[in-house]
Amino acid sequence: EPEVTQTPSHQVTQMGQEVILRCVPISNHLYFYWYRQILGQKVEFLVSFYNNEISEKSEIFDDQFSVERPDGSNFTLKIRSTKLEDSAMYFCASNRDRAYEQYFGPGTRLTVT
Amino acid sequence: AQSVSQHNHHVILSEAASLELGCNYSYGGTVNLFWYVQYPGQHLQLLLKYFSGDPLVKGIKGFEAEFIKSKFSFNLRKPSVQWSDTAEYFCAVNSRDSNYQLIWGAGTKLIIKP
Protein backbone atom coordinates (compact mmCIF):
# COMPACT_ATOMS: atom_id res chain seq x y z
CA GLU A 1 0.00 0.00 0.00
CA PRO A 2 1.44 3.42 -0.91
CA GLU A 3 2.55 5.60 2.00
CA VAL A 4 3.62 9.13 2.65
CA THR A 5 7.28 9.22 3.63
CA GLN A 6 9.22 11.91 5.48
CA THR A 7 12.88 12.58 6.03
CA PRO A 8 14.67 12.99 8.30
CA SER A 9 12.88 11.32 11.18
CA HIS A 10 14.70 13.59 13.66
CA GLN A 11 16.47 16.86 13.03
CA VAL A 12 18.41 18.81 15.63
CA THR A 13 19.38 22.34 14.73
CA GLN A 14 20.62 25.49 16.40
CA MET A 15 18.46 28.55 16.76
CA GLY A 16 18.71 30.79 13.71
CA GLN A 17 19.62 27.99 11.33
CA GLU A 18 17.60 27.05 8.28
CA VAL A 19 16.03 23.61 8.07
CA ILE A 20 14.32 21.80 5.23
CA LEU A 21 11.92 19.00 6.02
CA ARG A 22 11.16 16.63 3.20
CA CYS A 23 8.09 14.66 2.29
CA VAL A 24 7.18 12.34 -0.54
CA PRO A 25 3.36 12.28 -0.84
CA ILE A 26 1.44 9.39 -2.35
CA SER A 27 2.07 9.52 -6.07
CA ASN A 28 -1.45 10.11 -7.44
CA HIS A 29 -2.43 12.60 -4.74
CA LEU A 30 -3.00 16.21 -5.67
CA TYR A 31 -3.28 18.04 -2.35
CA PHE A 32 -0.44 18.30 0.14
CA TYR A 33 -0.33 19.54 3.69
CA TRP A 34 2.00 20.33 6.55
CA TYR A 35 0.96 20.15 10.19
CA ARG A 36 2.88 20.49 13.39
CA GLN A 37 2.34 19.14 16.87
CA ILE A 38 4.18 20.72 19.76
CA LEU A 39 4.72 18.16 22.51
CA GLY A 40 1.55 17.71 24.51
CA GLN A 41 -0.50 20.03 22.33
CA LYS A 42 -2.98 19.78 19.47
CA VAL A 43 -2.11 19.01 15.90
CA GLU A 44 -2.03 22.40 14.14
CA PHE A 45 -2.55 23.08 10.46
CA LEU A 46 0.26 25.00 8.79
CA VAL A 47 -0.35 25.03 5.05
CA SER A 48 -2.03 23.29 2.14
CA PHE A 49 -0.67 23.16 -1.39
CA TYR A 50 -2.35 22.39 -4.68
CA ASN A 51 -1.42 22.87 -8.30
CA ASN A 52 2.00 24.22 -7.35
CA GLU A 53 0.76 26.94 -5.08
CA ILE A 54 -0.35 27.50 -1.52
CA SER A 55 -4.11 27.15 -1.22
CA GLU A 56 -4.50 27.83 2.51
CA LYS A 57 -2.18 28.79 5.31
CA SER A 58 -2.60 29.38 9.00
CA GLU A 59 -1.41 32.26 11.13
CA ILE A 60 1.50 30.11 12.23
CA PHE A 61 2.78 29.95 8.67
CA ASP A 62 4.54 33.31 8.64
CA ASP A 63 7.38 34.61 6.46
CA GLN A 64 9.83 32.24 8.13
CA PHE A 65 8.09 29.30 6.50
CA SER A 66 7.93 28.31 2.86
CA VAL A 67 6.88 25.23 0.92
CA GLU A 68 7.96 23.94 -2.40
CA ARG A 69 7.38 21.04 -4.72
CA PRO A 70 10.75 21.07 -6.45
CA ASP A 71 10.04 18.03 -8.63
CA GLY A 72 7.25 15.56 -9.28
CA SER A 73 7.64 13.71 -6.03
CA ASN A 74 9.04 15.81 -3.18
CA PHE A 75 7.20 18.36 -1.07
CA THR A 76 9.36 20.40 1.27
CA LEU A 77 8.86 22.69 4.23
CA LYS A 78 11.60 25.24 4.86
CA ILE A 79 12.02 27.19 8.04
CA ARG A 80 14.44 30.03 7.34
CA SER A 81 15.61 30.98 10.79
CA THR A 82 14.51 28.51 13.41
CA LYS A 83 13.36 29.57 16.85
CA LEU A 84 13.15 27.53 20.02
CA GLU A 85 9.37 27.48 19.73
CA ASP A 86 9.61 25.76 16.35
CA SER A 87 10.54 22.56 18.18
CA ALA A 88 7.74 20.16 17.34
CA MET A 89 6.77 17.12 15.33
CA TYR A 90 6.04 18.09 11.74
CA PHE A 91 3.67 15.92 9.76
CA CYS A 92 3.16 15.89 6.03
CA ALA A 93 -0.11 14.63 4.56
CA SER A 94 -1.70 14.22 1.16
CA ASN A 95 -4.99 13.31 -0.48
CA ARG A 96 -6.55 13.04 -3.91
CA ASP A 97 -9.46 15.30 -3.10
CA ARG A 98 -9.31 17.92 -0.37
CA ALA A 99 -12.65 16.79 1.09
CA TYR A 100 -11.46 13.27 1.71
CA GLU A 101 -9.27 11.69 4.34
CA GLN A 102 -5.66 12.72 4.47
CA TYR A 103 -2.83 10.23 4.59
CA PHE A 104 -0.06 11.11 6.97
CA GLY A 105 3.65 10.53 7.00
CA PRO A 106 5.52 9.35 10.10
CA GLY A 107 6.63 12.87 10.99
CA THR A 108 9.91 14.68 11.52
CA ARG A 109 10.80 15.59 15.07
CA LEU A 110 12.50 18.99 14.95
CA THR A 111 14.51 20.03 17.98
CA VAL A 112 15.83 23.58 18.06
CA THR A 113 18.53 24.23 20.65
CA ALA B 1 -14.31 29.64 13.94
CA GLN B 2 -14.79 25.92 13.94
CA SER B 3 -13.43 23.95 16.85
CA VAL B 4 -13.33 20.36 18.00
CA SER B 5 -13.49 19.27 21.63
CA GLN B 6 -12.35 15.98 23.03
CA HIS B 7 -13.29 16.03 26.67
CA ASN B 8 -11.23 13.11 27.90
CA HIS B 9 -7.52 13.80 27.68
CA HIS B 10 -6.46 10.59 29.39
CA VAL B 11 -8.43 7.38 29.69
CA ILE B 12 -7.23 4.22 31.42
CA LEU B 13 -9.17 1.00 30.97
CA SER B 14 -8.66 -2.67 31.58
CA GLU B 15 -8.73 -5.15 28.73
CA ALA B 16 -12.23 -6.18 27.67
CA ALA B 17 -13.76 -2.97 28.99
CA SER B 18 -16.00 -0.96 26.70
CA LEU B 19 -14.75 2.32 25.33
CA GLU B 20 -16.43 5.55 24.39
CA LEU B 21 -14.42 8.66 23.54
CA GLY B 22 -16.30 11.89 23.15
CA CYS B 23 -15.93 14.33 20.28
CA ASN B 24 -17.97 17.49 19.77
CA TYR B 25 -17.58 20.11 17.10
CA SER B 26 -18.83 23.65 16.89
CA TYR B 27 -19.98 24.14 13.30
CA GLY B 28 -23.62 24.10 12.22
CA GLY B 29 -23.16 23.33 8.53
CA THR B 30 -22.31 20.17 6.65
CA VAL B 31 -19.17 18.52 7.95
CA ASN B 32 -16.95 15.56 7.25
CA LEU B 33 -15.79 13.80 10.40
CA PHE B 34 -12.74 11.68 11.07
CA TRP B 35 -11.11 9.70 13.82
CA TYR B 36 -7.38 9.18 13.54
CA VAL B 37 -5.23 7.00 15.78
CA GLN B 38 -1.54 7.31 16.59
CA TYR B 39 0.01 4.16 18.06
CA PRO B 40 3.21 4.68 20.07
CA GLY B 41 6.04 5.59 17.73
CA GLN B 42 3.85 5.44 14.64
CA HIS B 43 2.20 7.96 12.38
CA LEU B 44 -1.40 9.10 12.29
CA GLN B 45 -3.70 6.53 10.70
CA LEU B 46 -7.33 6.87 9.73
CA LEU B 47 -9.60 4.83 11.98
CA LEU B 48 -12.90 5.79 10.37
CA LYS B 49 -14.71 8.62 8.63
CA TYR B 50 -18.17 9.99 8.06
CA PHE B 51 -19.19 11.95 4.98
CA SER B 52 -22.88 11.18 4.61
CA GLY B 53 -25.44 8.38 4.87
CA ASP B 54 -25.72 5.98 7.79
CA PRO B 55 -24.65 7.93 10.87
CA LEU B 56 -23.21 4.79 12.44
CA VAL B 57 -19.89 4.15 10.76
CA LYS B 58 -17.62 1.20 11.25
CA GLY B 59 -13.88 1.47 11.04
CA ILE B 60 -10.86 -0.73 11.37
CA LYS B 61 -10.02 -2.89 14.38
CA GLY B 62 -13.60 -3.11 15.64
CA PHE B 63 -14.09 0.62 16.18
CA GLU B 64 -17.27 2.45 15.32
CA ALA B 65 -18.53 5.99 15.67
CA GLU B 66 -21.95 7.57 15.65
CA PHE B 67 -22.69 10.95 14.14
CA ILE B 68 -25.46 12.71 16.06
CA LYS B 69 -26.13 15.94 14.21
CA SER B 70 -28.41 17.41 16.87
CA LYS B 71 -25.67 17.03 19.45
CA PHE B 72 -22.79 18.01 17.14
CA SER B 73 -21.11 14.83 18.28
CA PHE B 74 -19.11 12.01 16.72
CA ASN B 75 -18.22 9.69 19.58
CA LEU B 76 -15.89 6.76 19.08
CA ARG B 77 -16.79 3.39 20.56
CA LYS B 78 -15.41 -0.09 20.89
CA PRO B 79 -17.27 -2.79 22.83
CA SER B 80 -14.19 -4.60 24.13
CA VAL B 81 -10.74 -3.03 24.10
CA GLN B 82 -7.43 -4.83 23.83
CA TRP B 83 -3.99 -3.94 25.13
CA SER B 84 -2.99 -3.16 21.52
CA ASP B 85 -5.53 -0.32 21.45
CA THR B 86 -3.18 1.74 23.63
CA ALA B 87 -2.69 4.86 21.52
CA GLU B 88 -3.67 8.48 21.13
CA TYR B 89 -6.98 9.12 19.38
CA PHE B 90 -7.77 12.32 17.50
CA CYS B 91 -11.11 13.55 16.27
CA ALA B 92 -11.01 15.92 13.27
CA VAL B 93 -13.52 17.82 11.18
CA ASN B 94 -13.53 19.57 7.85
CA SER B 95 -16.16 21.38 5.84
CA ARG B 96 -16.62 23.03 2.49
CA ASP B 97 -17.06 26.40 4.14
CA SER B 98 -13.62 26.17 5.67
CA ASN B 99 -12.08 25.03 2.39
CA TYR B 100 -11.77 21.57 3.92
CA GLN B 101 -9.09 22.64 6.35
CA LEU B 102 -8.85 19.84 8.90
CA ILE B 103 -9.62 21.05 12.42
CA TRP B 104 -8.32 18.80 15.19
CA GLY B 105 -9.32 17.94 18.69
CA ALA B 106 -6.66 17.87 21.39
CA GLY B 107 -6.48 14.09 21.39
CA THR B 108 -7.23 11.43 23.99
CA LYS B 109 -4.45 9.23 25.31
CA LEU B 110 -5.87 5.77 25.89
CA ILE B 111 -3.98 3.30 28.05
CA ILE B 112 -5.19 -0.27 28.25
CA LYS B 113 -3.97 -2.25 31.24
CA PRO B 114 -3.37 -5.92 30.46
Side-chain angles (χ1 to χ4, degrees):
Chain A
E1 189 176 328
E3 290 184 336
V4 177
T5 60
Q6 289 185 242
T7 53
S9 56
H10 192 188
Q11 173 93 47
V12 181
T13 190
Q14 288 190 325
M15 200 165 53
Q17 296 296 303
E18 174 183 286
V19 293
I20 297 176
L21 310 183
R22 292 184 166 78
C23 168
V24 179
I26 293 172
S27 62
N28 64 350
H29 285 184
L30 303 174
Y31 295 84
F32 314 116
Y33 310 84
W34 282 102
Y35 295 87
R36 79 172 185 193
Q37 186 180 24
I38 295 170
L39 191 63
Q41 297 187 25
K42 281 191 184 194
V43 177
E44 300 173 289
F45 168 77
L46 292 177
V47 65
S48 60
F49 192 86
Y50 170 72
N51 201 25
N52 281 320
E53 58 183 33
I54 290 173
S55 46
E56 298 283 334
K57 60 182 182 178
S58 71
E59 290 174 358
I60 303 166
F61 194 87
D62 61 21
D63 292 344
Q64 292 298 314
F65 291 89
S66 62
V67 289
E68 197 178 29
R69 189 154 161 82
D71 53 43
S73 59
N74 289 282
F75 178 51
T76 61
L77 174 70
K78 184 194 290 187
I79 309 175
R80 286 191 185 83
S81 178
T82 50
K83 299 179 268 214
L84 293 175
E85 53 264 38
D86 293 326
S87 294
M89 183 73 96
Y90 288 81
F91 293 104
C92 173
S94 68
N95 57 8
R96 255 192 86 68
D97 185 303
R98 60 183 182 157
Y100 295 164
E101 66 269 28
Q102 295 174 22
Y103 292 82
F104 284 81
T108 293
R109 181 167 296 287
L110 176 65
T111 303
V112 182
T113 60
Chain B
Q2 294 179 40
S3 65
V4 177
S5 297
Q6 290 181 245
H7 306 295
N8 312 103
H9 292 157
H10 289 89
V11 172
I12 301 174
L13 294 172
S14 298
E15 275 193 307
S18 66
L19 170 71
E20 181 159 1
L21 301 182
C23 173
N24 288 89
Y25 63 94
S26 68
Y27 178 64
T30 302
V31 292
N32 299 321
L33 298 148
F34 307 87
W35 276 99
Y36 281 87
V37 61
Q38 189 173 27
Y39 296 104
Q42 296 189 29
H43 57 95
L44 288 157
Q45 302 172 42
L46 182 71
L47 209 48
L48 47 77
K49 62 191 178 191
Y50 173 82
F51 292 153
S52 64
D54 188 343
L56 184 63
V57 291
K58 294 195 186 298
I60 59 171
K61 306 189 182 190
F63 285 90
E64 64 179 33
E66 186 175 11
F67 170 50
I68 303 179
K69 191 173 180 180
S70 61
K71 293 185 178 180
F72 300 93
S73 70
F74 189 56
N75 291 354
L76 181 71
R77 300 195 292 246
K78 186 170 182 177
S80 177
V81 293
Q82 302 170 313
W83 177 79
S84 58
D85 292 325
T86 294
E88 190 157 14
Y89 293 81
F90 295 91
C91 181
V93 171
N94 71 12
S95 68
R96 184 176 181 176
D97 291 348
S98 68
N99 288 321
Y100 298 108
Q101 187 181 126
L102 207 52
I103 309 297
W104 295 83
T108 297
K109 283 193 169 75
L110 175 66
I111 296 172
I112 306 299
K113 297 186 294 184

Short mmCIF file of all heavy atoms in Angstrom, two decimals, chain A residues 3 35 37 41-45 56 91 98-106, chain B residues 4 32 34 36 38 43-44 46 49 51 90 94 99-102 104-106:
data_model
loop_
_atom_site.label_atom_id
_atom_site.label_comp_id
_atom_site.label_asym_id
_atom_site.label_seq_id
_atom_site.Cartn_x
_atom_site.Cartn_y
_atom_site.Cartn_z
N GLU A 3 2.47 4.85 0.74
CA GLU A 3 2.55 5.60 2.00
C GLU A 3 3.19 6.94 1.74
O GLU A 3 3.95 7.12 0.79
CB GLU A 3 3.43 4.84 3.00
CG GLU A 3 2.83 3.56 3.54
CD GLU A 3 3.74 2.94 4.58
OE1 GLU A 3 4.96 3.20 4.57
OE2 GLU A 3 3.23 2.15 5.41
N TYR A 35 1.50 19.90 8.86
CA TYR A 35 0.96 20.15 10.19
C TYR A 35 2.12 20.10 11.17
O TYR A 35 3.16 19.50 10.90
CB TYR A 35 -0.04 19.04 10.61
CG TYR A 35 -1.28 18.98 9.79
CD1 TYR A 35 -1.33 18.24 8.60
CD2 TYR A 35 -2.44 19.64 10.19
CE1 TYR A 35 -2.49 18.18 7.86
CE2 TYR A 35 -3.60 19.57 9.46
CZ TYR A 35 -3.61 18.84 8.29
OH TYR A 35 -4.76 18.77 7.55
N GLN A 37 2.89 19.49 15.56
CA GLN A 37 2.34 19.14 16.87
C GLN A 37 3.44 19.39 17.90
O GLN A 37 4.42 18.63 17.98
CB GLN A 37 1.89 17.69 16.91
CG GLN A 37 1.17 17.32 18.19
CD GLN A 37 0.73 15.86 18.21
OE1 GLN A 37 1.29 15.01 17.52
NE2 GLN A 37 -0.29 15.57 18.99
N GLN A 41 0.54 19.12 22.82
CA GLN A 41 -0.50 20.03 22.33
C GLN A 41 -1.22 19.45 21.12
O GLN A 41 -0.92 18.37 20.66
CB GLN A 41 0.13 21.39 22.00
CG GLN A 41 0.74 22.08 23.21
CD GLN A 41 1.21 23.49 22.91
OE1 GLN A 41 0.72 24.13 21.99
NE2 GLN A 41 2.17 23.97 23.68
N LYS A 42 -2.17 20.22 20.61
CA LYS A 42 -2.98 19.78 19.47
C LYS A 42 -2.16 19.73 18.19
O LYS A 42 -1.16 20.45 18.05
CB LYS A 42 -4.09 20.81 19.21
CG LYS A 42 -5.28 20.74 20.10
CD LYS A 42 -6.37 21.65 19.53
CE LYS A 42 -7.56 21.70 20.44
NZ LYS A 42 -8.74 22.27 19.82
N VAL A 43 -2.63 18.95 17.26
CA VAL A 43 -2.11 19.01 15.90
C VAL A 43 -2.60 20.33 15.29
O VAL A 43 -3.79 20.67 15.39
CB VAL A 43 -2.63 17.83 15.06
CG1 VAL A 43 -2.15 17.93 13.62
CG2 VAL A 43 -2.19 16.50 15.68
N GLU A 44 -1.68 21.09 14.69
CA GLU A 44 -2.03 22.40 14.14
C GLU A 44 -1.75 22.42 12.64
O GLU A 44 -0.67 22.02 12.20
CB GLU A 44 -1.19 23.50 14.79
CG GLU A 44 -1.36 23.61 16.29
CD GLU A 44 -0.36 24.60 16.87
OE1 GLU A 44 0.84 24.28 16.92
OE2 GLU A 44 -0.80 25.70 17.28
N PHE A 45 -2.70 22.92 11.91
CA PHE A 45 -2.55 23.08 10.46
C PHE A 45 -1.56 24.19 10.17
O PHE A 45 -1.61 25.26 10.77
CB PHE A 45 -3.92 23.39 9.86
CG PHE A 45 -3.88 23.85 8.43
CD1 PHE A 45 -3.70 22.94 7.39
CD2 PHE A 45 -4.05 25.19 8.12
CE1 PHE A 45 -3.69 23.36 6.08
CE2 PHE A 45 -4.05 25.62 6.80
CZ PHE A 45 -3.85 24.71 5.78
N GLU A 56 -4.10 27.29 1.21
CA GLU A 56 -4.50 27.83 2.51
C GLU A 56 -3.27 27.86 3.40
O GLU A 56 -2.39 27.01 3.27
CB GLU A 56 -5.53 26.93 3.21
CG GLU A 56 -6.84 26.74 2.51
CD GLU A 56 -7.76 27.92 2.67
OE1 GLU A 56 -7.62 28.65 3.66
OE2 GLU A 56 -8.59 28.14 1.77
N PHE A 91 4.28 16.98 10.56
CA PHE A 91 3.67 15.92 9.76
C PHE A 91 3.32 16.45 8.38
O PHE A 91 2.77 17.54 8.23
CB PHE A 91 2.36 15.43 10.40
CG PHE A 91 2.55 14.71 11.70
CD1 PHE A 91 2.24 15.35 12.90
CD2 PHE A 91 3.00 13.41 11.74
CE1 PHE A 91 2.40 14.70 14.10
CE2 PHE A 91 3.16 12.75 12.95
CZ PHE A 91 2.86 13.40 14.13
N ARG A 98 -9.49 17.23 -1.66
CA ARG A 98 -9.31 17.92 -0.37
C ARG A 98 -10.41 17.61 0.63
O ARG A 98 -10.23 17.78 1.82
CB ARG A 98 -9.20 19.42 -0.59
CG ARG A 98 -10.40 20.03 -1.23
CD ARG A 98 -10.21 21.51 -1.48
NE ARG A 98 -11.42 22.07 -2.07
CZ ARG A 98 -11.73 23.34 -2.02
NH1 ARG A 98 -10.94 24.19 -1.41
NH2 ARG A 98 -12.84 23.77 -2.58
N ALA A 99 -11.57 17.11 0.16
CA ALA A 99 -12.65 16.79 1.09
C ALA A 99 -12.41 15.46 1.80
O ALA A 99 -12.99 15.21 2.85
CB ALA A 99 -13.98 16.74 0.35
N TYR A 100 -11.58 14.63 1.22
CA TYR A 100 -11.46 13.27 1.71
C TYR A 100 -10.39 13.13 2.78
O TYR A 100 -9.70 14.09 3.12
CB TYR A 100 -11.14 12.32 0.55
CG TYR A 100 -12.25 12.22 -0.47
CD1 TYR A 100 -12.01 11.67 -1.73
CD2 TYR A 100 -13.53 12.66 -0.20
CE1 TYR A 100 -13.02 11.57 -2.66
CE2 TYR A 100 -14.54 12.57 -1.13
CZ TYR A 100 -14.29 12.02 -2.37
OH TYR A 100 -15.27 11.92 -3.30
N GLU A 101 -10.24 11.92 3.28
CA GLU A 101 -9.27 11.69 4.34
C GLU A 101 -7.86 11.97 3.85
O GLU A 101 -7.53 11.76 2.68
CB GLU A 101 -9.35 10.26 4.90
CG GLU A 101 -8.96 9.17 3.94
CD GLU A 101 -10.15 8.65 3.16
OE1 GLU A 101 -11.11 9.41 2.94
OE2 GLU A 101 -10.09 7.46 2.77
N GLN A 102 -7.05 12.46 4.78
CA GLN A 102 -5.66 12.72 4.47
C GLN A 102 -4.81 11.56 4.97
O GLN A 102 -5.09 10.96 6.00
CB GLN A 102 -5.22 14.03 5.14
CG GLN A 102 -5.96 15.23 4.57
CD GLN A 102 -5.66 16.52 5.30
OE1 GLN A 102 -4.64 16.65 5.97
NE2 GLN A 102 -6.54 17.50 5.15
N TYR A 103 -3.78 11.29 4.23
CA TYR A 103 -2.83 10.23 4.59
C TYR A 103 -1.57 10.89 5.11
O TYR A 103 -1.01 11.77 4.46
CB TYR A 103 -2.53 9.37 3.36
CG TYR A 103 -3.72 8.57 2.92
CD1 TYR A 103 -4.72 9.16 2.13
CD2 TYR A 103 -3.89 7.25 3.30
CE1 TYR A 103 -5.83 8.44 1.73
CE2 TYR A 103 -5.00 6.52 2.90
CZ TYR A 103 -5.96 7.12 2.13
OH TYR A 103 -7.08 6.41 1.75
N PHE A 104 -1.14 10.44 6.27
CA PHE A 104 -0.06 11.11 6.97
C PHE A 104 1.25 10.35 6.88
O PHE A 104 1.27 9.11 6.86
CB PHE A 104 -0.42 11.29 8.45
CG PHE A 104 -1.41 12.38 8.66
CD1 PHE A 104 -2.76 12.17 8.45
CD2 PHE A 104 -0.99 13.64 9.04
CE1 PHE A 104 -3.68 13.20 8.62
CE2 PHE A 104 -1.90 14.68 9.22
CZ PHE A 104 -3.23 14.45 9.01
N GLY A 105 2.33 11.11 6.86
CA GLY A 105 3.65 10.53 7.00
C GLY A 105 3.99 10.30 8.46
O GLY A 105 3.23 10.69 9.35
N PRO A 106 5.13 9.69 8.72
CA PRO A 106 5.52 9.35 10.10
C PRO A 106 5.99 10.54 10.92
O PRO A 106 6.15 10.43 12.13
CB PRO A 106 6.66 8.34 9.91
CG PRO A 106 7.23 8.68 8.57
CD PRO A 106 6.09 9.17 7.73
N VAL B 4 -13.02 21.74 17.66
CA VAL B 4 -13.33 20.36 18.00
C VAL B 4 -12.91 20.13 19.44
O VAL B 4 -11.78 20.48 19.82
CB VAL B 4 -12.59 19.38 17.07
CG1 VAL B 4 -12.86 17.94 17.49
CG2 VAL B 4 -13.00 19.60 15.62
N ASN B 32 -17.52 16.90 7.35
CA ASN B 32 -16.95 15.56 7.25
C ASN B 32 -16.21 15.30 8.56
O ASN B 32 -15.54 16.20 9.08
CB ASN B 32 -15.98 15.46 6.08
CG ASN B 32 -16.65 15.74 4.74
OD1 ASN B 32 -17.79 15.34 4.51
ND2 ASN B 32 -15.94 16.44 3.87
N PHE B 34 -13.80 12.69 11.12
CA PHE B 34 -12.74 11.68 11.07
C PHE B 34 -12.28 11.34 12.49
O PHE B 34 -12.26 12.19 13.37
CB PHE B 34 -11.52 12.21 10.30
CG PHE B 34 -11.83 12.75 8.94
CD1 PHE B 34 -12.22 14.08 8.78
CD2 PHE B 34 -11.73 11.95 7.82
CE1 PHE B 34 -12.50 14.60 7.52
CE2 PHE B 34 -12.01 12.45 6.56
CZ PHE B 34 -12.40 13.78 6.40
N TYR B 36 -8.71 9.69 13.85
CA TYR B 36 -7.38 9.18 13.54
C TYR B 36 -6.80 8.58 14.82
O TYR B 36 -7.11 9.01 15.94
CB TYR B 36 -6.46 10.30 13.06
CG TYR B 36 -6.66 10.70 11.62
CD1 TYR B 36 -7.60 11.66 11.27
CD2 TYR B 36 -5.89 10.13 10.61
CE1 TYR B 36 -7.77 12.04 9.94
CE2 TYR B 36 -6.05 10.50 9.28
CZ TYR B 36 -6.99 11.45 8.95
OH TYR B 36 -7.16 11.82 7.64
N GLN B 38 -3.01 7.28 16.65
CA GLN B 38 -1.54 7.31 16.59
C GLN B 38 -1.01 6.33 17.63
O GLN B 38 -1.05 6.61 18.83
CB GLN B 38 -1.03 8.72 16.87
CG GLN B 38 0.45 8.89 16.61
CD GLN B 38 0.88 10.35 16.74
OE1 GLN B 38 0.27 11.13 17.47
NE2 GLN B 38 1.93 10.71 16.04
N HIS B 43 2.82 6.75 12.91
CA HIS B 43 2.20 7.96 12.38
C HIS B 43 0.68 7.90 12.50
O HIS B 43 0.12 6.86 12.83
CB HIS B 43 2.63 8.19 10.94
CG HIS B 43 2.33 7.04 10.02
ND1 HIS B 43 1.19 7.00 9.24
CD2 HIS B 43 3.00 5.90 9.75
CE1 HIS B 43 1.20 5.88 8.54
NE2 HIS B 43 2.28 5.20 8.82
N LEU B 44 0.05 9.00 12.24
CA LEU B 44 -1.40 9.10 12.29
C LEU B 44 -2.02 8.21 11.22
O LEU B 44 -1.64 8.26 10.05
CB LEU B 44 -1.85 10.54 12.06
CG LEU B 44 -1.56 11.50 13.20
CD1 LEU B 44 -1.50 12.94 12.69
CD2 LEU B 44 -2.63 11.38 14.27
N LEU B 46 -5.89 6.69 9.70
CA LEU B 46 -7.33 6.87 9.73
C LEU B 46 -7.99 5.64 10.33
O LEU B 46 -7.73 4.52 9.94
CB LEU B 46 -7.85 7.06 8.30
CG LEU B 46 -9.33 7.31 8.19
CD1 LEU B 46 -9.69 8.71 8.73
CD2 LEU B 46 -9.80 7.20 6.74
N LYS B 49 -14.31 7.31 9.14
CA LYS B 49 -14.71 8.62 8.63
C LYS B 49 -16.21 8.62 8.38
O LYS B 49 -16.82 7.56 8.15
CB LYS B 49 -13.97 8.91 7.32
CG LYS B 49 -14.32 7.91 6.23
CD LYS B 49 -13.41 8.03 5.03
CE LYS B 49 -13.79 6.95 4.00
NZ LYS B 49 -12.81 6.81 2.93
N PHE B 51 -18.91 10.88 5.94
CA PHE B 51 -19.19 11.95 4.98
C PHE B 51 -20.70 12.17 4.87
O PHE B 51 -21.16 13.31 4.85
CB PHE B 51 -18.61 11.61 3.60
CG PHE B 51 -17.10 11.61 3.55
CD1 PHE B 51 -16.42 10.84 2.62
CD2 PHE B 51 -16.35 12.38 4.42
CE1 PHE B 51 -15.03 10.83 2.57
CE2 PHE B 51 -14.96 12.38 4.39
CZ PHE B 51 -14.31 11.60 3.45
N PHE B 90 -7.46 10.94 17.87
CA PHE B 90 -7.77 12.32 17.50
C PHE B 90 -9.05 12.36 16.67
O PHE B 90 -9.18 11.63 15.69
CB PHE B 90 -6.64 12.92 16.66
CG PHE B 90 -5.35 13.08 17.39
CD1 PHE B 90 -4.40 12.06 17.37
CD2 PHE B 90 -5.05 14.24 18.09
CE1 PHE B 90 -3.19 12.18 18.05
CE2 PHE B 90 -3.85 14.38 18.77
CZ PHE B 90 -2.93 13.35 18.74
N ASN B 94 -13.70 18.55 8.87
CA ASN B 94 -13.53 19.57 7.85
C ASN B 94 -14.87 19.89 7.22
O ASN B 94 -15.87 19.18 7.43
CB ASN B 94 -12.46 19.19 6.82
CG ASN B 94 -12.86 18.07 5.87
OD1 ASN B 94 -14.01 17.67 5.79
ND2 ASN B 94 -11.89 17.56 5.13
N ASN B 99 -12.99 25.52 3.44
CA ASN B 99 -12.08 25.03 2.39
C ASN B 99 -11.44 23.69 2.78
O ASN B 99 -10.30 23.42 2.41
CB ASN B 99 -11.00 26.06 2.08
CG ASN B 99 -11.58 27.23 1.31
OD1 ASN B 99 -12.43 27.06 0.45
ND2 ASN B 99 -11.13 28.42 1.65
N TYR B 100 -12.18 22.91 3.52
CA TYR B 100 -11.77 21.57 3.92
C TYR B 100 -10.50 21.55 4.74
O TYR B 100 -9.80 20.53 4.79
CB TYR B 100 -11.64 20.65 2.69
CG TYR B 100 -12.94 20.49 1.98
CD1 TYR B 100 -13.18 21.08 0.75
CD2 TYR B 100 -13.98 19.77 2.57
CE1 TYR B 100 -14.40 20.94 0.11
CE2 TYR B 100 -15.20 19.63 1.94
CZ TYR B 100 -15.41 20.22 0.72
OH TYR B 100 -16.61 20.09 0.09
N GLN B 101 -10.21 22.66 5.42
CA GLN B 101 -9.09 22.64 6.35
C GLN B 101 -9.46 21.72 7.51
O GLN B 101 -10.53 21.85 8.08
CB GLN B 101 -8.81 24.05 6.85
CG GLN B 101 -7.56 24.17 7.68
CD GLN B 101 -7.36 25.59 8.17
OE1 GLN B 101 -7.21 25.80 9.35
NE2 GLN B 101 -7.35 26.55 7.28
N LEU B 102 -8.58 20.82 7.85
CA LEU B 102 -8.85 19.84 8.90
C LEU B 102 -8.64 20.49 10.26
O LEU B 102 -7.56 21.01 10.55
CB LEU B 102 -7.92 18.65 8.70
CG LEU B 102 -8.32 17.27 9.17
CD1 LEU B 102 -9.69 16.86 8.67
CD2 LEU B 102 -7.28 16.26 8.74
N TRP B 104 -8.60 19.94 14.32
CA TRP B 104 -8.32 18.80 15.19
C TRP B 104 -8.77 19.03 16.62
O TRP B 104 -8.69 20.13 17.15
CB TRP B 104 -6.80 18.56 15.21
CG TRP B 104 -6.23 18.15 13.91
CD1 TRP B 104 -5.85 18.97 12.89
CD2 TRP B 104 -5.97 16.82 13.46
NE1 TRP B 104 -5.38 18.22 11.84
CE2 TRP B 104 -5.44 16.91 12.16
CE3 TRP B 104 -6.13 15.55 14.04
CZ2 TRP B 104 -5.06 15.78 11.42
CZ3 TRP B 104 -5.75 14.44 13.31
CH2 TRP B 104 -5.23 14.56 12.02
N GLY B 105 -9.17 17.95 17.25
CA GLY B 105 -9.32 17.94 18.69
C GLY B 105 -7.95 17.77 19.34
O GLY B 105 -6.96 17.50 18.66
N ALA B 106 -7.93 17.91 20.66
CA ALA B 106 -6.66 17.87 21.39
C ALA B 106 -6.12 16.45 21.55
O ALA B 106 -4.97 16.28 21.94
CB ALA B 106 -6.85 18.50 22.76
#
